[in-house]
Amino acid sequence: MSSAHSAVPTAGSVPSPSSTSSSSSSSPAVAAPTITELLDFVQRTSRNEALIASLPLDPEGRTWIRLDGPGGSEAWLIGWPPGTGTGWHDHADSIGAFTTAAGALKEHSLAVRLPTDGWKTLELTDGVDRSRELAAGQGRAFGQNHVHEVLNESEDVHAVSVHAYYPPLPRIRRFSRTGAVLRLEQTESPEDWQ
């Protein structure tokens, strides 16, 4: 999830809150989940107190457990120590949703669709910045190429959130931002965070 943060616990014996049942080889293929289904999944999962409590929290860096999302989606339970964040990034061609399960998170996003490839620096126009506070139980869904950063701005309270993406993340582009200038810094593939 982030190349600069801490250990990655695995789901191990943690129960998956997936809303889809296991399909046998004779069952028809599962339809791709919609944004609404992903949001419903993360909201329901965020209320699973046993699952939320199973996440090891580290005061030094984010921690996470991979979950089975609906319809073959990729899902994560993430712990956010005070003062941590993701930095600016997108999720390529995946749609997604996330909900705060404990604490509060702040999301800064851009109301602009970036070119998919072939650029290193963009100057953003006025009026594209959006911010929202997401307290426990609040979430949001987003479409493809959504550019944002998520932060735990608390000085002393961990936050926990549930995220789901479909299709499973093919890549994450990471950006730096200085004023109105957004710069592509690196592209990560699944091997970088799994």
Side-chain angles (χ1 to χ4, degrees):
M1 300 297 308
S2 173
S3 59
H5 296 292
S6 70
V8 181
T10 59
S13 62
V14 175
S16 170
S18 177
S19 62
T20 61
S21 60
S22 298
S23 59
S24 67
S25 59
S26 62
S27 296
V30 176
T34 65
I35 287 177
T36 301
E37 290 168 333
L38 292 178
L39 183 59
D40 179 61
F41 168 80
V42 298
Q43 289 175 331
R44 279 185 293 107
T45 303
S46 74
R47 294 187 297 269
N48 182 332
E49 293 177 15
L51 178 65
I52 303 309
S54 74
L55 179 66
L57 300 178
D58 181 339
E60 301 299 319
R62 290 189 303 149
T63 54
W64 49 86
I65 296 174
R66 181 146 185 189
L67 306 172
D68 293 323
S73 63
E74 178 175 345
W76 300 89
L77 177 64
I78 302 176
W80 306 75
T84 59
T86 60
W88 287 97
H89 66 283
D90 73 2
H91 307 100
D93 295 326
S94 297
I95 60 172
F98 71 99
T99 294
T100 304
L105 293 172
K106 179 85 163 250
E107 181 198 36
H108 299 289
S109 62
L110 300 176
V112 63
R113 187 172 177 98
L114 300 179
T116 55
D117 291 304
W119 66 278
K120 286 286 190 186
T121 303
L122 289 177
E123 187 162 343
L124 302 170
T125 59
D126 288 339
V128 299
D129 287 291
R130 304 288 184 268
S131 289
R132 69 181 71 203
E133 187 85 23
L134 298 164
Q138 295 180 321
R140 65 141 17 236
F142 50 85
Q144 297 175 327
N145 302 298
H146 176 71
V147 178
H148 70 165
E149 68 174 346
V150 180
L151 309 161
N152 178 2
E153 295 182 325
S154 173
E155 295 181 10
D156 56 1
V157 176
H158 256 83
V160 177
S161 58
V162 181
H163 303 245
Y165 309 98
Y166 189 86
L169 296 172
R171 64 182 177 157
I172 292 177
R173 293 187 301 178
R174 296 211 175 266
F175 310 99
S176 62
R177 182 166 180 195
T178 306
V181 177
L182 189 70
R183 179 181 306 277
L184 176 63
E185 296 294 344
Q186 77 182 74
T187 300
E188 296 176 0
S189 62
E191 301 82 46
D192 297 320
W193 64 79
Q194 293 185 19

